[in-house]
Amino acid sequence: MDTHHSAALLDPPGAPTRPAAARVRGAVKRYGRGDTAVTALDHVDLDIPAGRFTAVMGPSGSGKSTLMHCLAGLDTLTAGQVVLGDVDLGSLNDRDLTRVRRERIGFVFQSFNLVPTLTARENIVLPSSLAGRKPDADWFDQVVATVGLGDRLRHRPAELSGGQQQRVAVARALVSRPEVVFADEPTGNLDSRSGTEILEFMAAAVRDIGQTIVMVTHDPAAAAYADSVVFLADGRIVDAIDDPTADTVLDRMKRIGD
Amino acid sequence: MRSLVLHNMWAHKRRALAAGVAVVIGIAFLTATLLLGNAMTRGIDDLFSEGYSGTDVEVRSTDVIASGERDIAATIDESLVAELAAIDGVAAAIPVVEGTAQIVGADGEPIGGNGPPTIGTNWVGMDRNPYVLLDGRPPVGAGEVVIDSGTADAGDLRVGDRTTVRVPAPIDVTVVGVAELRSGEQMGGVTFTWFDTDTAQDLLLGDADALYAVDLQAEPGVGDEELRAAIESSLPSDLEALTRQELIDEEMAAIEADFLGFFTTFLLAFAGVALLVATFSIHNTFAIVVAQRTRETALLRALGASRGQVLAGVGAEALVIGAVAATVGLGAGVGLAIGLNAILTALGAGVPTAGLGMTIGVAVLALAVGVVVTLVAAIAPALRASKVAPIAALRESAIDESGSSTVRAALGTAVTAAGIAGLVFSTDIGSSPLQIAALGGLAVFVGLILLGPVVARVAAAVIGTPIAAVRGQNGVLARRNAMRNPKRTSGTASALMIGTAVVALFASLGTSIKASLGDLVDESFGGDLVISPEGFSGAGLSPAMAADIAEVPGVDAVARLSFAAMLVDGRNDEPLATDFEQLAAVAELDVIEGDLASIGDGGFAIGRDYADDHGLALGDELTAEFLDGSTETLTVGAIFVNDDLMGDNLVDDAVWERHTSTPEDLIVMVDIDDGASLTDVRAEVQTVVDRYGSPSLQDSDEYLEAQGEQIDQMLGLVYGLLALAVVIALVGIANTLSLSIHERTREIGLLRAVGQTRSAVRSTVRWESVIIAVFGTVGGLALGTTICWGLIRAIAATEGFGTFAPSTTTLVVVLAVAIVAGVVAALRPAARAARLDVLDAISTD
């Protein structure tokens, strides 16, 4: 097993590298107790570089979703540490964690990602309105223009195609200018054309405005849009590559599967 | 967040509507009760104001003894009229005679007497008489009466008609006039018979020089208070003077304590039960909605909504539903009040309602209650919503099929056990078993609500077993569906449980009271026939009648009881007067000391408990005081055990008759000779009774049955309560089923895809509904019957009588109603489930 890549992702002391948007140290997540206990994360160390598009890959049950949930403050670790920017998420109570999610994190989910009773516009500004703020109008227009939803803002989710719904979700994640956007299989429910559009939007957001994005996926073609890919298997980081292509990702995946 | 709440509610209009219906019904009842109560109070106040419009100050005796349903006042001397008229400031002094006179209608039946008084009084020719003659002329001399227009209509009597007035002796009279209040209002149910003053004194007071009161009218410019001050110094100490306002207030307080109080309490109980059931319905709806919205809530939490915001969101939804429903209920309440009043008017009990106007107070109270009830019902679900973890947004949506916590099971068991202990051991702890039993009943109720989710799965399994056996696969599915979410099943059933528990409680109390009465009569009554007045507020029985019955061949003994207004050793224990020798023949009082037959004049007989309570023994002497101002010495001549039927203190009737000028019997009991034919003797007695204005003649079974009829009438009202509770619970069941079906769309689609027919889908939903309904009903019936058992036991311990007799007929009927209600509640949800398009159902997200 090739593990030097994961070591390369760790910040060597004093190395001139990008600052980490989020850091994971010694992360362990166990479900259940005793004989039936399942270890979803087994001492994971990982840095999410700021302003980059990072993909997390792995077979089913590898722990990739758990890792993302813990990174995003949706779930808590059994042991270890997740630091978002300068905040240790493990030290926060529910109220502070809620504030972190609201102000510093954006989400794109695989499905059921919009509130069905709200219009597209209302869905996009939802995190801001939950925080009691007005979204920046210029930024809102820019994001909406970027994802190409201008004429669809008054529609309800049920009146939008799957691709359009997911574009609303991406816009929602971007509009509050979070430090990190987490995307959980964002193209899982989409046809390939819509999926490609979404991935291009996300890549553009990283390239043009320096948005940090972490995406969990099992699709090598999707991972190829990322700047780097981290591979998980059995709760451990087993590999990592920079500037991936669909072929190199597929190649690594096959090796992990072996 | 605000727009989210409103959007959500708009998207789920039907759901919000269903939750609101329960509040609407409850608030409508509350509003109607308050409005009717207010309007009646105002209306009756107006009536009394008008009735006293000819009186500025009334002078009457301060000596009053409560006896039976009435307050008996000492009379005053007629000479006072002239004395008072001579005082400065008095423009006129009017003699007032008042007593009981019940007039017989054209059909031979006495009019009124079933609650409102049947007043006999004297007609006063004066300018300020509040009554005006519509027809005819004032009464002059014996044998002439004026009656009020309401009574004339009720008895189909017209000027010139001859009829009978019972005072209580039957008097032949001619109606010479018909009068009514100047305003034309009727005194709902009260009957008036006016005689001239001399006749009234003779018939109603039995004394040509006595008056009930003297009404004074002030000289112009003299106020009521001023007038009272002017005359007060010349009044003897046993007389008092009351102003018009005081008289009105006194009448209002009396009617408030009696009829109005009962009426509003009863309607408030309706509203209370309705609101309680509504609370459960709303709680259940919110609980389901919150469960179904788990993913949406989790999404909001993931996007940064705080717990407080989620809590506030659900709270705001409850607030809006509560406010809108309460407002609609307020409007519906006005309609209901008008409808109820129309029914009351049709029943002849219509009370003048000075307009059923809405007041700020009623509106504020009804709205506040509606909103608070909805908010309270939504608290627990809202808290649950606020605890949804954000991670739940990423899980596959799971339907909550969890059972209940061990804490709940333990707490529920403990509370129920404590309640049952209270019911079982109420007679062993403390001095007030009834209170302990009532508390125990309340605890069992709360305990069962707590235990509902714990037992729901097993209960649904048991109830569903026969259905599954008979209805095949549909029955099996229905049973599983009812079992899969015990919290929801029990929540839905709880609403029905409350309603049916109330009905079971009252129905069983009713049958138990009837059974107790039966046992009492079997135990204490040894006679053959009973004669009693038809109503309870009309004229009593003429004492002469008992004497005439005694002359009938074959009659062995005639015992009569009458209220004796007197104080014994300063206490008013409302003694009954009787002829002990005769009583001994018809009553089995179980005398343990002394002998009834030999008590004689001046004798007093008391119950064992009465003797113990007052430290009395055989031969003790007591002082009796009477309204005529005299006293007598009574001697305890017998102590007996069975003190429930005839009361616990009896005085010899020779004593009472020396001090009353208006004797009347409450009830007359007849024993016939051994060997005489009951049929023959009864026919003879009937002819005598007919001469005295036809009071009812019954054998002991018929008498019991007639007593039972009053209880049955009360039960009729309780069934109204059932209807209301069932309607609300029905809405709740329908709502729960709709939500469950919405949740199971995919599953139903699958069943349809593999071949379940539309009618089979309907059948499955219908039987699930029936299982829930039967669960709630059986729980309610068991609860109500158990509480009744505990209460009757406690009553038996304190009162010495009480036989528990559950009303099996009612229990069976209620269960049948519940099953039908279950089927009806399932109609719409079942139709919706059956209409689901198979492909849509499967592809739904």
Side-chain angles (χ1 to χ4, degrees):
Chain A
M1 197 181 290
D2 186 358
T3 57
H4 71 275
H5 288 283
S6 67
L9 278 163
L10 292 173
D11 278 342
T17 176
R18 286 170 180 279
R23 280 169 303 166
V24 179
R25 289 292 178 273
V28 175
K29 179 69 184 179
R30 229 175 260 122
Y31 293 105
R33 278 184 199 157
D35 294 344
T36 57
V38 175
T39 304
L41 293 179
D42 187 1
H43 296 91
V44 172
D45 294 312
L46 175 67
D47 278 22
I48 303 296
R52 302 261 287 171
F53 190 170
T54 305
V56 179
M57 292 204 70
S60 286
S62 62
K64 58 186 190 299
S65 287
T66 305
L67 176 63
M68 196 193 78
H69 296 163
C70 292
L71 267 168
L74 289 170
D75 208 347
T76 53
L77 288 172
T78 311
Q81 205 182 22
V82 174
V83 179
L84 184 78
D86 51 358
V87 180
D88 179 355
L89 296 186
S91 69
L92 301 182
N93 60 20
D94 181 77
R95 176 199 302 263
D96 293 330
L97 210 50
T98 299
R99 178 166 298 157
V100 165
R101 280 200 302 271
R102 192 156 73 195
E103 292 169 359
R104 302 173 66 168
I105 293 174
F107 289 105
V108 180
F109 301 109
Q110 177 178 354
S111 62
F112 194 78
N113 39 17
L114 301 178
V115 179
T117 52
L118 297 184
T119 63
R121 171 190 287 275
E122 286 166 331
N123 265 289
I124 292 171
V125 302
L126 187 57
S128 309
S129 60
L130 283 171
R133 284 196 309 258
K134 274 214 157 293
D136 179 338
D138 292 340
W139 177 236
F140 175 86
D141 291 342
Q142 192 184 330
V143 169
V144 168
T146 308
V147 296
L149 278 168
D151 56 341
R152 292 273 169 200
L153 288 177
R154 298 171 64 84
H155 290 63
R156 299 260 165 113
E159 297 157 352
L160 300 173
S161 70
Q164 286 168 332
Q165 287 189 42
Q166 199 62 309
R167 277 191 265 163
V168 172
V170 172
R172 181 181 65 196
L174 294 175
V175 84
S176 58
R177 298 188 204 257
E179 289 171 30
V180 186
V181 169
F182 292 98
D184 185 3
E185 303 276 12
T187 58
N189 272 3
L190 300 179
D191 60 73
S192 64
R193 216 191 89 221
S194 304
T196 304
E197 277 175 18
I198 293 294
L199 290 164
E200 278 169 355
F201 291 138
M202 297 207 298
V206 173
R207 187 177 60 240
D208 300 344
I209 59 176
Q211 177 67 54
T212 307
I213 296 182
V214 178
M215 172 177 72
V216 167
T217 183
H218 63 266
D219 177 7
Y225 283 85
D227 296 321
S228 61
V229 183
V230 178
F231 295 90
L232 259 78
D234 298 329
R236 294 195 195 94
I237 291 178
V238 293
D239 203 351
I241 51 175
D242 289 336
D243 301 320
T245 66
D247 289 338
T248 55
V249 172
L250 195 58
D251 186 47
R252 298 297 170 107
M253 287 291 284
K254 277 181 180 163
R255 274 202 272 161
I256 294 167
D258 289 340
Chain B
M1 205 67 200
R2 189 186 315 138
S3 68
L4 186 61
V5 168
L6 293 176
H7 279 303
N8 257 330
M9 292 184 59
W10 183 245
H12 305 294
K13 295 180 283 287
R14 195 196 298 272
R15 201 183 276 174
L17 190 74
V21 166
V23 182
V24 169
I25 297 175
I27 294 301
F29 258 87
L30 183 67
T31 307
T33 305
L34 297 172
L35 286 183
L36 267 184
N38 280 355
M40 285 186 173
T41 306
R42 270 202 307 276
I44 294 172
D45 195 275
D46 287 352
L47 272 187
F48 285 134
S49 301
E50 192 179 357
Y52 280 113
S53 59
T55 309
D56 293 327
V57 167
E58 182 169 280
V59 174
R60 64 182 193 198
S61 171
T62 52
D63 293 337
V64 177
I65 295 180
S67 184
E69 295 287 319
R70 300 175 197 147
D71 285 341
I72 313 291
T75 54
I76 59 180
D77 197 88
E78 199 175 15
S79 60
L80 201 67
V81 177
E83 284 173 38
L84 288 168
I87 295 173
D88 272 354
V90 176
I94 301 133
V96 177
V97 181
E98 211 176 288
T100 299
Q102 191 169 15
I103 196 151
V104 176
D107 58 357
E109 289 296 314
I111 304 164
N114 288 311
T118 54
I119 295 173
T121 184
N122 58 323
W123 183 266
V124 186
M126 60 170 179
D127 294 344
R128 281 175 63 185
N129 191 337
Y131 289 89
V132 286
L133 281 167
L134 290 181
D135 194 9
R137 57 173 176 80
V140 180
E144 289 191 0
V145 293
V146 168
I147 57 175
D148 69 287
S149 58
T151 304
D153 289 344
D156 196 19
L157 294 171
R158 269 177 281 276
V159 170
D161 286 356
R162 296 186 59 78
T163 185
T164 304
V165 173
R166 285 158 55 175
V167 288
I171 306 289
D172 289 333
V173 291
T174 304
V175 177
V176 298
V178 174
E180 72 180 16
L181 283 172
R182 285 177 195 279
S183 65
E185 289 284 359
Q186 298 292 330
M187 286 261 192
V190 181
T191 69
F192 285 90
T193 307
W194 288 276
F195 304 89
D196 75 3
T197 303
D198 288 343
T199 308
Q201 284 173 305
D202 182 36
L203 294 177
L204 304 176
L205 301 178
D207 181 344
D209 300 321
L211 293 176
Y212 163 72
V214 179
D215 282 2
L216 303 179
Q217 292 176 354
E219 300 269 15
V222 178
D224 293 357
E225 292 288 347
E226 221 176 313
L227 179 63
R228 170 162 66 182
I231 61 150
E232 218 156 27
S233 58
S234 49
L235 286 182
S237 63
D238 60 343
L239 297 186
E240 59 181 347
L242 289 92
T243 62
R244 177 164 176 253
Q245 192 55 50
E246 286 170 339
L247 291 165
I248 294 167
D249 291 347
E250 186 184 71
E251 297 268 21
M252 284 308 291
I255 206 154
E256 199 81 62
D258 189 16
F259 163 73
L260 261 186
F262 173 77
F263 181 77
T264 48
T265 306
F266 186 78
L267 280 184
L268 279 178
F270 262 80
V273 170
L275 285 170
L276 189 62
V277 175
T279 307
F280 276 85
S281 275
I282 300 161
H283 169 87
N284 210 32
T285 305
F286 269 92
I288 297 170
V289 167
V290 160
Q292 292 186 348
R293 246 191 249 154
T294 299
R295 287 196 73 185
E296 193 176 312
T297 307
L299 176 71
L300 289 174
R301 292 279 286 131
L303 292 175
S306 68
R307 285 191 179 168
Q309 281 175 313
V310 172
L311 189 69
V314 180
E317 208 169 322
L319 192 72
V320 173
I321 290 177
V324 171
T327 310
V328 175
L330 198 63
V334 175
L336 187 63
I338 293 169
L340 278 176
N341 192 46
I343 293 172
L344 283 174
T345 308
L347 291 175
V351 184
T353 45
L356 289 162
M358 177 64 66
T359 65
I360 302 275
V362 171
V364 168
L365 184 67
L367 289 177
V369 169
V371 170
V372 168
V373 159
T374 316
L375 281 180
V376 165
I379 280 178
L383 283 173
R384 208 171 304 144
S386 77
K387 286 185 187 138
V388 168
I391 189 83
L394 306 173
R395 296 200 191 108
E396 252 313 294
S397 87
I399 297 167
D400 177 21
E401 297 185 0
S402 67
S404 44
S405 71
T406 45
V407 177
R408 176 188 277 272
L411 193 65
T413 309
V415 173
T416 310
I420 290 175
L423 288 174
V424 173
F425 299 113
S426 67
T427 51
D428 304 326
I429 351 170
S431 54
S432 45
L434 198 56
Q435 276 90 325
I436 292 173
L439 276 179
L442 193 65
V444 174
F445 170 71
V446 173
L448 282 193
I449 297 281
L450 283 171
L451 279 182
V454 181
V455 299
R457 187 166 282 165
V458 175
V462 172
I463 297 166
T465 299
I467 294 172
V470 176
R471 308 305 303 182
Q473 189 57 44
N474 301 333
V476 172
L477 284 170
R479 178 169 174 266
R480 295 262 168 80
N481 282 340
M483 288 169 64
R484 71 202 290 183
N485 191 331
K487 279 184 207 154
R488 182 177 303 177
T489 299
S490 90
T492 312
S494 291
L496 200 53
M497 186 178 90
I498 299 165
T500 50
V502 171
V503 173
L505 173 61
F506 281 99
S508 290
L509 275 180
T511 48
S512 294
I513 291 169
K514 278 202 257 182
S516 307
L517 268 177
D519 287 356
L520 201 63
V521 170
D522 284 348
E523 188 180 271
S524 309
F525 182 65
D528 299 296
L529 296 170
V530 178
I531 300 134
S532 56
E534 304 265 356
F536 55 92
S537 66
L541 305 169
S542 170
M545 184 184 72
D548 285 359
I549 292 171
E551 301 298 317
V552 172
V555 168
D556 170 46
V558 180
R560 52 209 189 86
L561 289 174
S562 52
F563 286 118
M566 57 196 261
L567 303 180
V568 177
D569 273 6
R571 291 187 303 270
N572 180 13
D573 295 314
E574 303 203 2
L576 294 175
T578 189
D579 177 338
F580 285 111
E581 201 185 331
Q582 301 289 316
L583 187 70
V586 301
E588 284 152 23
L589 296 183
D590 192 5
V591 176
I592 50 173
E593 283 185 68
D595 177 25
L596 283 185
S598 63
I599 283 184
D601 196 355
F604 195 53
I606 54 179
R608 184 175 50 187
D609 293 342
Y610 186 91
D612 290 347
D613 289 349
H614 301 295
L616 295 172
L618 198 67
D620 281 0
E621 296 194 336
L622 302 100
T623 307
E625 297 166 62
F626 302 89
L627 283 170
D628 60 8
S630 58
T631 61
E632 275 200 40
T633 301
L634 302 178
T635 310
V636 176
I639 297 177
F640 55 89
V641 177
N642 294 339
D643 60 4
D644 297 313
L645 194 59
M646 321 277 175
D648 62 1
N649 65 126
L650 299 165
V651 66
D652 182 72
D653 58 1
V655 174
W656 170 237
E657 275 161 23
R658 277 197 287 278
H659 301 283
T660 179
S661 45
T662 54
E664 64 172 22
D665 291 339
L666 169 67
I667 190 167
V668 171
M669 296 166 287
V670 180
D671 187 50
I672 67 168
D673 288 329
D674 293 340
S677 154
L678 179 60
T679 320
D680 295 348
V681 176
R682 180 174 178 163
E684 284 291 313
V685 172
Q686 185 69 55
T687 60
V688 176
V689 165
D690 286 346
R691 294 205 303 271
Y692 287 91
S694 306
S696 70
L697 168 66
Q698 293 157 324
D699 64 24
S700 57
D701 289 344
E702 289 166 345
Y703 178 69
L704 262 183
E705 211 167 287
Q707 298 297 307
E709 272 169 25
Q710 293 179 9
I711 295 168
D712 288 340
Q713 281 175 6
M714 290 297 298
L715 285 182
L717 296 177
V718 173
Y719 291 132
L721 204 70
L722 169 71
L724 185 68
V726 164
V727 167
I728 298 179
L730 202 87
V731 173
I733 294 177
N735 205 17
T736 306
L737 286 174
S738 297
L739 293 169
S740 296
I741 282 156
H742 174 72
E743 214 166 57
R744 295 180 201 145
T745 302
R746 212 177 246 279
E747 189 177 308
I748 292 166
L750 178 70
L751 286 167
R752 293 271 291 119
V754 299
Q756 192 179 34
T757 62
R758 282 184 198 276
S759 76
V761 171
R762 279 196 294 271
S763 169
T764 305
V765 175
R766 188 161 57 236
W767 286 108
E768 180 182 354
S769 174
V770 168
I771 291 173
I772 296 173
V774 169
F775 173 46
T777 307
V778 169
L781 295 180
L783 176 66
T785 311
T786 307
I787 295 177
C788 173
W789 172 79
L791 291 179
I792 292 288
R793 252 181 109 251
I795 290 171
T798 44
E799 303 294 321
F801 79 103
T803 313
F804 174 61
S807 170
T808 38
T809 333
T810 309
L811 299 189
V812 171
V813 168
V814 170
L815 189 59
V817 167
I819 292 173
V820 174
V823 172
V824 172
L827 284 179
R828 276 182 57 87
R832 284 178 69 194
R835 268 204 312 270
L836 284 176
D837 183 272
V838 182
L839 282 180
D840 281 355
I842 291 178
S843 65
T844 195
D845 188 22

